[in-house]
Amino acid sequence: MRHGVNLAVGPLSFRVGSAWPGPVAALRHLYAGYPGCETADFTVRLEPVTPWRRWVRPSVAIQGDYVLPDAAPLPLAHGLVAAEMGMNLQMALGERRYLLLHAASVEKDGRALILTGESGAGKSTLAAWLGEHGWRFMGDEFALLEPETGLLFPFPRAVSLKNESIAAMAAFVAGDRFGPRLEGTPKGTIRHIRPNDQAVARMTEPARPALILFPRFGHAAEIRPVGPAEAFMRLTQASTNYVALGQRGFDALTGLVQNCRALALDYPDGAKAAELIELIWAEAAR
Amino acid sequence: MSARLLVQTLRNPTSLPADCDWTGLIAAARAEQLVGSLAFRLEGRKVPERVERLLAMHRADAGRVRVQALWEAEMARRALAPIGIPVVLLKGTAFHAAGLEAAQGRNVGDLDILVPRDSLGEVERALIAHGWERMKEADGYDDLYYRQWMHELPPLIHRERDRMADVHHTILPLTARPKPDAAALIAASIALPDGLRMLSPEDMIVHAAAHLIADGDMAGGLRNLWDIDRLLREFSRVDGFWPRLRERAGRHGLGPAVERAVRLAHDLYATPIPPSWRRWSAMDAPFKRRLLARNGWGQPTRPVTRFGFYVRGHLMRMPPMMLVRHLVTKARAKPDQSVSSTPISSE
Amino acid sequence: MAGPLYIADAEGLRTVVLEGLAVLFHPRSGQTHIVAPPAPEILDALGEGATDLDGLVARLSERFEFDSNEGRPAIAARLGELETAGLVRRS
């Protein structure tokens, strides 16, 4: 490949190759300060769909160690999104050491708060907000549960903010931590934020899970307990590799829901959610 | 060329270069579906810690692959037991079920089984009654094509387990020039403890060689050839194996394909073979070039060689006029694959 | 006895009870099942050896208080689910 960059994120590492300089330059800028790696766990390739599409209406196909046969290509302007999707794909399809939870997570006093839910539940924005307000940001996309220890490992990739969240975060995040504004992506307008120095410096440091929240944006504030059986079912659905981990996955997840309280949190806006989370946490952490 | 590094490492895991490109080796191994085999070949060797973590992950994953493959076979056994016909496991599932050395780290995608041709309808009905479904509605060109010309039913998928099953009645498409003796394959098959069957050792090599040389464009060829290497090493420990293999290959009309596969395995993986099998052939070189067409990013290389083998794969399976018809139909079907031109009749 | 004989295929089964539901890991298939009563009890009872539906109802009625005529359809339904999941097979 003509252009490439090696990146360590949390305990994992990636090699991203690209036929064009643009996506690699964007990655280098967004991930400034992240360590590199000698041997990468996964390879991502950003390639032209056909050879001439490197030049004519350039179109980026997401390739790598693991691929989805029907993944749609993206325009070159969205090369950064393609790189992020490529890294997600390698994790989702190839990772077998950690149980992957499609969840955001933050840490305080060595204990982790897991935020999981469908896209649009607001977990990215909540985690990013908490990460700037007294918590350590661990990740907004995947949380890595180590079956042997029950510990949660960070995966602090760049936060992907959508639409209205972008302006909300600009109020307290310095401009040089923002990536380019990407209009018209499959997820709408996207802008990435580099996690803060603390999140990057402590990116291999795990935490003990203490609380699982299922947030839901756009509803009147309400907190409901979620029983362990329901939490178990929802987390198997939020995991991309639960089945592949076999008994290790089963032990990890049944252990997690037995040792950790789970709550559903409906919230009308970010400020209210943050207030409720601090309240719940104070009680849970006692 | 990382395919070459991959082959060298599989052949001789002690010969690692000091400045080994581990990321490239692993990317090539993943692309060739050989990363499990590589992980076992390097077990206990001195490798960097991060690499060891990856290899250990792939070794552990091999256990899951084995469980899944054997479970699919068992579920098919339960579904088909009432029919009372021989069910022969093929390829990776058979290696695992029989505990062959070729099973170590071997990935298994679909369940492949061989049944007598006149039981196909009954087998398909029994599988459908037990939760398997047709991938697409059974109409249109593809389905007709399968039923008229292929050596298998259109693929079935299990609606809960999401795993595919390929039901074969012979080991090469009916349009291919060699005509393997399917009845003889089943007659010589060997019973496994649970009542399922596997091909005889010689037929297993013939099948693997047919798959590698006589069928298709050699995609996944390095893995298929690794299967052949492992199988030959294990089976040739029994006296009289090589003459039996030659006889069997001839009977199925696959003598040249088996000889070429054996020579390539010897050449790339140093498989021990008798002198009488070491004939030189000018045509082995392009096969070898095609097998090694993979770089350290896991990308396919040598597009011209690949395209040659793509066309060849089609020619071998179909007489030329049929090929034209097939390519034209495929090309036309492309713009709206999701919409069938004929109305779907749901019986 | 009439009807097919059933046998449990539950070697090494791991069971975790969460709020009255049993979460099962079946090592032979690598699959997880969430089952409601009396599915775990059926697996247990079949552990004694192969039997048909009548035999199973008889075994369960020795251990639990229920009307075997009323319980029978529920047991038959759970048995069918367990067979589909592969945790029970015909011997």
Side-chain angles (χ1 to χ4, degrees):
Chain A
M1 301 241 70
R2 284 182 171 76
H3 310 277
V5 58
N6 282 13
L7 266 183
V9 183
L12 301 177
S13 56
F14 300 87
R15 170 177 67 157
V16 182
S18 168
W20 305 270
V24 165
L27 277 176
R28 284 188 198 279
H29 173 258
L30 190 57
Y31 285 92
Y34 278 63
C37 61
E38 216 165 287
T39 308
D41 293 317
F42 300 107
T43 293
V44 176
R45 305 192 316 258
L46 305 178
E47 295 178 347
V49 183
T50 50
W52 57 89
R53 291 296 283 274
R54 195 155 92 83
W55 310 109
V56 185
R57 284 179 295 124
S59 182
V60 185
I62 302 169
Q63 295 284 344
D65 290 340
Y66 301 94
V67 291
L68 277 186
D70 46 4
L74 294 172
L76 181 55
H78 298 159
L80 194 53
V81 179
E84 297 277 326
M85 285 167 77
M87 288 192 272
N88 279 352
L89 203 59
Q90 304 315 307
M91 300 272 290
L93 300 178
E95 176 54 40
R96 298 282 190 265
R97 290 161 293 195
Y98 301 97
L99 182 72
L100 294 189
L101 299 174
H102 185 225
S105 55
V106 290
E107 177 261 6
K108 201 186 254 187
D109 305 323
R111 303 172 65 185
L113 164 64
I114 299 171
L115 299 154
T116 181
E118 282 141 39
S119 303
K123 57 186 168 37
S124 278
T125 313
L126 278 180
W129 195 93
L130 293 167
E132 304 300 323
H133 292 84
W135 298 70
R136 167 168 66 114
F137 173 82
M138 291 179 73
D140 80 323
E141 183 84 35
F142 286 119
L144 316 178
L145 186 63
E146 188 175 61
E148 288 69 29
T149 58
L151 291 174
L152 200 72
F153 279 77
F155 189 64
R157 263 207 1 224
V159 186
S160 148
L161 292 177
K162 282 161 226 146
N163 308 320
E164 306 78 45
S165 311
I166 299 171
M169 289 301 291
F172 35 79
V173 173
D176 69 338
R177 282 174 53 201
F178 277 91
R181 189 182 174 87
L182 305 168
E183 316 259 2
T185 78
K187 295 171 178 172
T189 300
I190 281 185
R191 213 164 164 193
H192 293 94
I193 303 183
R194 177 167 63 246
N196 60 25
D197 292 348
Q198 183 194 199
V200 177
R202 296 171 64 193
M203 69 186 217
T204 57
E205 191 183 307
R208 171 97 26 216
L211 180 65
I212 303 161
L213 284 183
F214 296 95
R216 211 157 58 127
F217 171 71
H219 296 261
E222 195 194 339
I223 299 167
R224 280 178 298 113
V226 174
E230 189 191 340
F232 177 84
M233 270 186 277
R234 290 175 74 164
L235 288 171
T236 55
Q237 283 157 15
S239 172
T240 59
N241 65 357
Y242 170 76
V243 174
L245 260 66
Q247 189 165 313
R248 290 172 64 237
F250 176 85
D251 291 344
L253 212 50
T254 50
L256 179 69
V257 299
Q258 283 174 302
N259 296 325
C260 221
R261 259 176 83 198
L263 298 169
L265 167 70
D266 290 0
Y267 66 99
D269 56 68
K272 187 72 188 164
E275 179 193 326
L276 290 171
I277 286 173
E278 295 292 352
L279 267 173
I280 299 166
W281 185 256
E283 198 188 316
R286 258 197 311 220
Chain B
M1 283 309 298
S2 270
R4 198 170 283 279
L5 176 62
L6 172 63
V7 165
Q8 261 166 27
T9 311
L10 285 169
R11 182 169 65 195
N12 183 5
T14 57
S15 74
L16 288 164
D19 57 342
C20 184
D21 170 17
W22 288 104
T23 308
L25 175 60
I26 285 166
R30 282 178 176 155
E32 294 290 346
Q33 299 275 320
L34 273 166
V35 73
S37 312
L38 178 75
F40 278 101
R41 285 297 273 172
L42 289 173
E43 193 171 15
R45 310 261 167 218
K46 203 171 145 44
V47 303
E49 194 201 322
R50 278 203 79 96
V51 176
E52 177 51 29
R53 263 167 61 80
L54 267 189
L55 296 177
M57 169 177 99
H58 284 295
R59 283 193 294 269
D61 197 41
R64 189 257 327 167
V65 168
R66 180 188 153 77
V67 162
Q68 247 175 18
L70 294 181
W71 184 247
E72 285 307 303
E74 169 64 11
M75 290 313 265
R77 185 193 70 75
R78 290 181 194 179
L80 299 178
I83 307 179
I85 49 145
V87 176
V88 182
L89 299 176
L90 299 175
K91 304 184 197 170
T93 309
F95 305 164
H96 282 286
L100 299 178
E101 287 161 28
Q104 202 175 50
R106 168 64 149 83
N107 193 28
V108 182
D110 310 342
L111 171 69
D112 291 284
I113 57 174
L114 174 73
V115 299
R117 192 174 185 184
D118 55 13
S119 328
L120 275 181
E122 226 181 333
V123 167
E124 189 177 24
R125 277 192 297 278
L127 291 176
I128 286 173
H130 284 81
W132 276 270
E133 291 173 340
R134 291 181 184 146
M135 299 271 290
K136 314 174 204 169
E137 255 321 303
D139 73 351
Y141 172 77
D142 268 348
D143 195 74
L144 193 68
Y145 171 75
Y146 261 102
R147 286 174 199 276
Q148 253 185 324
W149 304 114
M150 287 303 278
H151 51 311
E152 59 195 18
L153 290 174
L156 298 166
I157 190 160
H158 196 277
R159 65 168 164 261
E160 264 133 48
R161 296 191 304 278
D162 202 29
R163 305 277 294 179
M164 292 215 328
D166 284 327
V167 180
H168 305 243
H169 59 81
T170 183
I171 55 172
L172 273 183
L174 302 179
T175 50
R177 239 167 300 149
K179 303 280 180 243
D181 183 344
L185 290 171
I186 292 175
S189 66
I190 296 168
L192 293 161
D194 60 5
L196 290 166
R197 309 182 73 82
M198 64 176 205
L199 293 175
S200 73
E202 296 79 19
D203 283 346
M204 221 184 266
I205 302 283
V206 171
H207 181 208
H211 197 49
L212 176 72
I213 306 282
D215 177 22
D217 56 5
M218 305 217 24
L222 273 188
R223 201 274 306 272
N224 294 333
L225 193 65
W226 179 249
D227 286 347
I228 291 171
D229 168 76
R230 296 290 105 180
L231 294 172
L232 285 174
R233 284 171 191 265
E234 186 165 3
F235 295 154
S236 62
R237 284 182 213 133
V238 178
D239 277 350
F241 167 77
W242 290 104
R244 279 199 306 278
L245 176 60
R246 183 159 273 158
E247 187 273 321
R248 217 47 199 175
R251 167 152 195 184
H252 294 300
L254 283 158
V258 169
E259 284 179 22
R260 170 156 291 143
V262 167
R263 286 197 304 270
L264 286 167
H266 172 70
D267 186 5
L268 287 176
Y269 294 127
T271 320
I273 64 172
S276 60
W277 287 73
R278 288 180 208 175
R279 221 165 39 85
W280 183 85
S281 160
M283 270 307 288
D284 287 353
F287 280 89
K288 190 172 162 184
R289 266 204 301 282
R290 169 64 185 85
L291 284 168
L292 293 173
R294 177 83 60 189
N295 70 17
W297 281 90
Q299 290 171 301
T301 55
R302 298 190 180 128
V304 174
T305 305
R306 278 178 183 267
F307 183 72
F309 274 93
Y310 174 77
V311 171
R312 173 180 171 279
H314 275 79
L315 284 175
M316 298 196 68
R317 279 188 284 183
M318 306 177 178
M321 270 324 286
M322 259 179 72
L323 173 64
V324 172
R325 197 179 141 226
H326 175 77
L327 291 176
V328 169
T329 313
K330 277 276 175 196
R332 263 204 229 129
K334 255 200 170 148
D336 59 349
Q337 273 171 329
S338 56
V339 186
S340 172
S341 54
T342 46
I344 294 167
S345 60
S346 56
E347 315 172 36
Chain C
M1 293 206 196
L5 293 176
Y6 294 93
I7 189 165
D9 185 347
E11 206 183 317
L13 195 72
R14 280 173 102 84
T15 308
V16 173
V17 177
L18 301 173
E19 296 171 284
L21 291 173
V23 186
L24 311 176
F25 181 77
H26 183 217
R28 189 170 180 200
S29 65
Q31 291 176 332
T32 301
H33 304 281
I34 302 183
V35 296
E41 291 77 6
I42 290 174
L43 285 176
D44 229 31
L46 286 177
E48 289 172 26
T51 185
D52 65 359
L53 181 58
D54 292 334
L56 177 63
V57 173
R59 279 184 200 172
L60 286 168
S61 61
E62 278 168 30
R63 304 177 186 190
F64 305 98
E65 283 285 313
F66 67 94
D67 182 311
S68 44
N69 282 329
E70 279 176 28
R72 199 185 146 94
I75 292 169
R78 293 294 90 74
L79 187 64
E81 290 162 13
L82 289 171
E83 189 185 3
T84 306
L87 291 162
V88 163
R89 66 185 156 89
R90 298 177 189 211
S91 77

